[in-house]
Amino acid sequence: MKNIIQFLPEKVIQQIAAGEVIQRPSSVLRELLENAIDANAKTIDIFIKDSGKTLIQLIDDGIGMSIDDAKMSIQKHATSKIKKTDDLFRIKTKGFRGEALSSIALISQLEIQTKKREDVVGIHLFVEEGKVKKQIPINMLQGTRISVKNIFYKIPVRRQFLKSSRIEFQHIIYEFHKIVLAHRNITYRFYHNDKIIFYFKKTSLRERIQEIFKNEKKNLVPILIKKNRIFVEGFVSVPDVSMKKGDQFLLVNQRCVTHLLLHKKIIHAYDGFLKNFKTTSYFIFIFIDSSLVNWNIHPTKKEVKLEEEETIGIMIQQEIKNVLFSQYKVKNKELKNYDIFLSCKSLKKDYLLNNLYKKLYDKEKIVQLENFYHKLNESVTFKNNFQLTNELHYLVSHHEKKREIKTFQINRKYIIFVLNDEYMVLVDQHRAHQNILFEFFDRKKNLISQQFLFPIKVKLLKKESLSLKNIKTDLISFGFHLYICKKYVYLYSVPEQIQQNMLIEVIQNIITYNFIKGKKNNKKKLLQIISKSASIKYGTKLYPEKMKCIIKDLFSCQNPNYTYSGDPIFFVLNKNFF
C-alpha cells in the first residue's frame, strides 16, 4: 500500500512560508518601509499603481547594498540584523528574520537597484520565483530602489482573493500611517497612480497626528510616564460623544503592535467617562529595554510579548485617568458639553429623555415660556407660607401616576410645574438642589460612597493641608474617604450623591476655605460648601424626569421654602399671571 503522507515540494513550501509574511500589497509596503528605515534613510519615495496589485515601488537614500549583499538579500533567512541566538532577545531593528525580500521575490516580479556610497557602480537585479534572472551594472546615487510588480502573478488563487482596489488601498494607507507616525524624522512622498497623495516632512507627534487625521483629532491631551527602564509618551482623546469611531495606535519601540491586554487597560481607563469605547482615540508609544521584549511570536511581528506587561498596563491606565481628570479641571466649561463623567446608563437615559423632550414640547411653546422670564420680577406674586407648603407637599407626594406632573424649564434656571391645573409653581433649580443636598447630608449617617479605581491626587498648600486635617473626621462621616500625606491629599471615594463632574469644584472649595481647629461652626460650613458646590448650576439643561425628581425631593425637605442663607427657593404664580 502506498504511503499517504509525503514531503511537500520545495516550491510549495516556499509559497506557504511567503504567504505568512506577504498576505496582501500592504504587507509588501510595510516590509519595504521597514528595510528602508533600518538602512537609515532620510527621504523615502513611494509609488503605488492599481492599489499595489500592479506596482509597489520604494526609493530611499539609505546606505544601500553591495552587489553581493543585494544577491544575498533575496535568500531565505539571509539578514544583517542578527548574528547569534542571543541577538533575538535584544532586537533593535525593524527587521531581523531575513524573510521579507525572500518572500516578496517568490510571489512577484522583483527588481532591486542599489548602490553603496563607496562603490563605483550599483547593481540592477531582475528576480522571478526567488531567483535572479538577469543583472546589469548601473550608475546611480547611494541608496536603494525596489520595484515589486504583479503581486501573486504566479499564484492566481491568492490574487483572486485580494479585496477590491479601494479596500486594498485602505490597507496600504493604514500601514503607511503606522510607519510615518513612528518615524517622524524622515521625509515621505507617497504617489498613487502618478498623483501625489501624501507629503510628510520631519515634524512632532502632535503635528503628525494633525497632518494624518486633519481636524478630527483636536481633543487630544498628552501623557508621559518615566519609570526605570520604561518610558511612555503619546496622546489620548478627551471623551467626545460626537465621535463615531476613534483611531487607536499602540507602538512598542516604534513598531505598531496589537496587544489585547494593554488595549483593554487603555480603553477601560475611560470607564464611567464614555458610553462607547470605540470613540476613544489613543496614540501611545512605549519605549522599553529591548531585553524585556519578545518580537519572535508572530510571522509579521504585529504581536509582541512584554515582561511585566500587567504593571505597564496599570501604569498607563492610571496616567490616563489622572490626565483626563486634570484636563477636566483645567477646561471645565469646555468639557461640560461632553457630559464625560456620566455613567453609561445615565448617558443612555439622557439620550432617550432628550428625544422624548423634543417630541413632547414644540419650539413655539418653549419660546413662549422663556419670554415669561423677562416678566417675572414685575408679575410674580408668591405666598411661601406654611399652609401652602404642606398643601404642595401633599399634592406632589400623592399625585396620581396617571396624571404626571407637567414640567418646563425656563432659561435653564427655573423649573415651572403645574399641579391639578390649580397651582403654577416656579422653582429655582440651583437653590432647590442645594437645599436637597444640605438636608440630605445633615440628616443621613453612614453614607454610601462611590469608590475610584485609582485615588485622586490633589496637591495642597501648607495652610490647606492644616485646614483639611481639622475637618477630616467630618468629611469621613459624609462619605469622603481620604488620606493626607505631606503636600498631597489622596481621595479614594466620595458620596454617591456628588456627580463626578462637580467633584473638582467641591474639593477646591473645601480646601480653599480656612477651617479652624475645634470651631463649632466647621460642620455647618462644610455642609454649606458641599451642597452649594455639588448642586445643579444655572445654565444646566434638565430633562423632565430630572425636574420631577427635584420637585419631589424638594417638597420632602423639612424646610423647602428657603435655603440655609435665607433665599427663597420657589414662587407660586398668581392665577391671573397669564
Side-chain angles (χ1 to χ4, degrees), residues 250-485:
L250 177 66
L251 297 96
V252 176
N253 291 351
Q254 292 186 292
R255 189 195 300 276
C256 200
V257 297
T258 300
H259 198 292
L260 187 59
L261 186 147
L262 293 180
H263 170 72
K264 286 183 176 180
K265 292 291 184 184
I266 293 166
I267 63 170
H268 284 294
Y270 289 81
D271 278 337
F273 289 65
L274 268 181
K275 175 185 176 182
N276 185 356
F277 290 140
K278 289 182 180 179
T279 63
T280 301
S281 291
Y282 63 76
F283 305 85
I284 296 178
F285 289 70
I286 301 173
F287 297 91
I288 185 171
D289 192 296
S290 57
S291 63
L292 303 178
V293 185
N294 183 3
W295 291 108
N296 204 26
I297 64 170
H298 193 275
T300 60
K301 304 180 285 289
K302 286 185 177 181
E303 296 179 12
V304 64
K305 182 70 177 175
L306 305 176
E307 288 190 27
E308 301 181 4
E309 54 192 23
E310 180 74 26
T311 304
I312 295 171
I314 291 173
M315 285 167 50
I316 295 173
Q317 188 179 70
Q318 183 173 359
E319 178 65 13
I320 293 173
K321 280 183 173 290
N322 292 340
V323 165
L324 289 176
F325 197 84
S326 299
Q327 181 70 8
Y328 172 74
K329 176 180 174 181
V330 174
K331 298 184 179 180
N332 188 14
K333 292 182 180 179
E334 180 183 341
L335 294 185
K336 270 184 180 177
N337 297 329
Y338 303 129
D339 289 333
I340 64 173
F341 290 100
L342 293 177
S343 66
C344 297
K345 290 183 180 179
S346 298
L347 281 169
K348 185 176 180 181
K349 185 177 179 182
D350 282 355
Y351 175 77
L352 294 173
L353 288 171
N354 187 34
N355 286 345
L356 183 62
Y357 187 86
K358 288 178 180 177
K359 290 177 183 178
L360 289 176
Y361 307 112
D362 57 66
K363 291 183 180 179
E364 291 183 3
K365 186 173 288 186
I366 293 172
V367 171
Q368 183 184 2
L369 285 169
E370 287 179 342
N371 289 337
F372 292 166
Y373 177 73
H374 301 292
K375 303 178 183 178
L376 288 178
N377 291 333
E378 299 175 0
S379 304
V380 173
T381 60
F382 59 96
K383 8 181 184 172
N384 268 344
N385 56 49
F386 182 79
Q387 183 180 353
L388 179 59
T389 301
N390 285 342
E391 190 175 353
L392 285 171
H393 170 68
Y394 178 82
L395 288 171
V396 169
S397 58
H398 293 83
H399 203 264
E400 297 178 16
K401 291 183 179 180
K402 293 181 181 179
R403 298 176 62 191
E404 290 190 296
I405 300 171
K406 299 176 183 178
T407 59
F408 302 96
Q409 189 182 25
I410 297 179
N411 209 38
R412 297 192 178 184
K413 185 173 183 180
Y414 295 99
I415 301 168
I416 283 186
F417 72 95
V418 180
L419 280 174
N420 299 339
D421 296 324
E422 182 178 0
Y423 295 103
M424 179 167 279
V425 184
L426 184 144
V427 179
D428 185 307
Q429 66 186 42
H430 173 63
R431 293 177 185 175
H433 195 224
Q434 182 179 328
N435 203 55
I436 293 165
L437 291 176
F438 183 88
E439 290 202 11
F440 177 86
F441 284 109
D442 192 33
R443 289 186 295 178
K444 293 283 185 178
K445 293 183 179 180
N446 300 322
L447 294 171
I448 298 173
S449 298
Q450 50 180 325
Q451 287 192 328
F452 302 120
L453 183 61
F454 299 102
I456 296 170
K457 182 180 177 183
V458 181
K459 192 172 182 179
L460 301 172
L461 299 175
K462 187 176 180 180
K463 64 178 183 179
E464 292 173 346
S465 179
L466 292 172
S467 174
L468 207 55
K469 287 177 181 178
N470 294 335
I471 55 166
K472 183 178 178 181
T473 304
D474 291 328
L475 281 170
I476 292 172
S477 69
F478 294 151
F480 292 83
H481 294 169
L482 51 90
Y483 174 71
I484 302 170
C485 180

Side-chain angles (χ1 to χ4, degrees), residues 30-41:
R30 181 189 66 244
E31 298 293 348
L32 297 185
L33 280 168
E34 289 182 352
N35 282 346
I37 290 165
D38 284 341
N40 300 321

Side-chain angles (χ1 to χ4, degrees), residues 46 94 150 379 473 497 501 504:
I46 301 160
K94 307 295 286 185
N150 303 318
S379 304
T473 304
Q497 285 69 28
N501 60 340
I504 281 291

Side-chain angles (χ1 to χ4, degrees), residues 45 95 100 132 136 213 238 265 304 333-334 493 516 552 560 576:
D45 291 314
V132 177
I136 56 174
F213 301 101
V238 173
K265 292 291 184 184
V304 64
K333 292 182 180 179
E334 180 183 341
S493 64
I516 301 171
K552 290 180 179 180
N576 300 321

